[in-house]
Amino acid sequence: MTASNGAAPSRLPQQGHGFSQKSPETAFGASIDPADVARFSAQAAEWWDAHGPFAPLHRFNPARLALIRDQLCTRLGRDPKARAPFEGLTLLDVGCGGGLIAEPMRRMGFDVTAIDASSENIGTARAHADMVGLDIAYRAATVEQIEAEGAGPFDVVLTMEVIEHVADPEGFVRACSRLVRPGGVMMVATLNRTLKSLALGKVAAEYILRWVPAGTHDWRQFLKPEEIRSMLAAEPVTVEGPYGLNYDPLHDRWSQTDDAGINYMMVATRSAA
């Protein structure tokens, strides 16, 4: 706000995760905001262009990947220095876009399933995974669809910068949490609804710095950490955070911080009982 060459066949979502190999490549559900889906679909071919519309996301990615890795290693008892610390674990990436999180998670050892409401995004993600030889189960679907089909549970569920784009954020995040196995972890990344985020995360990012196209975000849909905590109050999860991510314009880099005034993550661990 990133392999080796060669190709491997993209695989269908695994039966063991509750997917049907005959599942349609059409996303539907109460969480879908058609306008947002259309906006990201129109840019689908440019996800992996580090100098294109998603360039800010490419710069943002190393910092958020480090935060995800460290938080998950701490909670799942894994070694962050290992080459593939999450070998043997399953992960669901909800709202995966072009695969900028799914691919590094696969390299870290996770068996990755990734879904997105945009079939165009999924097409781009599949093509790129094939190109670099990564086996990731991609599907155009919503979290409501795969929950209804009996998918999961997963060791980890990630939803990165998605909840501010859905029509029903509470229903969405609760559905995500229900796909986490007992003792597993969900991480939610979004933007805080503060005056600081209005000035920098919305106005500056869209109209001054031109990091993202104008209209990408609706500041009114940004969520405060306590709102996410409240949304999950009825679910058997322990919610921790926020963990902030801030941009340093002098060094053009992102890093973890205690300041959650703009970008932040929340971590929810599902009760083992």
Side-chain angles (χ1 to χ4, degrees):
M1 305 237 52
T2 120
S4 62
N5 292 322
S10 60
R11 60 189 170 87
L12 290 170
Q14 296 184 0
Q15 295 277 10
H17 290 165
F19 285 109
S20 165
Q21 290 193 359
K22 296 182 180 179
S23 297
E25 282 288 298
T26 303
F28 57 88
S31 67
I32 287 182
D33 183 327
D36 269 312
V37 173
R39 185 177 299 115
F40 284 103
S41 294
Q43 298 175 294
E46 300 176 285
W47 274 100
W48 288 95
D49 181 358
H51 303 289
F54 295 102
L57 196 54
H58 283 268
R59 291 197 294 272
F60 182 35
N61 226 22
R64 68 174 177 171
L65 287 171
L67 177 54
I68 292 168
R69 181 198 62 215
D70 293 347
Q71 291 290 333
L72 293 180
C73 281
T74 296
R75 288 165 175 78
L76 299 173
R78 298 296 176 112
D79 180 3
K81 297 180 181 178
R83 190 182 69 85
F86 304 112
E87 196 74 45
L89 299 180
T90 58
L91 179 144
L92 175 66
D93 183 6
V94 180
C96 63
L100 270 62
I101 289 288
E103 288 197 10
M105 291 296 106
R106 181 69 187 102
R107 292 191 183 97
M108 290 186 202
F110 279 114
D111 180 2
V112 177
T113 300
I115 63 173
D116 197 278
S118 165
S119 58
E120 289 85 356
N121 285 347
I122 290 297
T124 295
R126 278 192 183 132
H128 195 272
D130 284 353
M131 183 175 67
V132 299
L134 290 175
D135 57 331
I136 296 171
Y138 281 113
R139 177 176 166 200
T142 62
V143 68
E144 299 100 322
Q145 281 176 264
I146 68 166
E147 183 187 21
E149 294 168 8
F154 299 87
D155 296 296
V156 173
V157 173
L158 299 180
T159 177
M160 302 285 106
E161 289 79 36
V162 176
I163 193 170
E164 69 270 18
H165 296 288
V166 304
D168 177 10
E170 179 172 349
F172 171 80
V173 76
R174 292 184 65 179
C176 289
S177 77
R178 291 192 293 268
L179 290 169
V180 180
R181 70 157 173 82
V185 179
M186 175 178 72
M187 295 187 69
V188 181
T190 190
L191 293 97
N192 207 340
R193 194 175 66 258
T194 61
L195 291 178
K196 185 176 181 180
S197 73
L198 176 60
L200 300 178
K202 171 64 180 177
V203 176
E206 294 186 14
Y207 297 98
I208 299 173
L209 300 173
R210 304 286 183 179
W211 279 356
V212 293
T216 296
H217 293 109
D218 181 345
W219 179 80
R220 296 167 298 179
Q221 292 180 265
F222 292 1
L223 295 169
K224 294 178 177 291
E226 56 266 31
E227 291 173 333
I228 292 179
R229 199 181 304 275
S230 176
M231 290 174 183
L232 291 168
E235 301 293 338
V237 296
T238 300
V239 182
E240 298 173 275
Y243 302 94
L245 286 165
N246 269 9
Y247 176 66
D248 177 358
L250 294 179
H251 298 93
D252 188 25
R253 69 184 181 206
W254 292 80
S255 60
Q256 187 175 343
T257 175
D258 291 333
D259 181 1
I262 303 179
N263 294 83
Y264 70 94
M265 293 192 195
M266 301 293 280
V267 182
T269 303
R270 192 165 186 84
S271 171

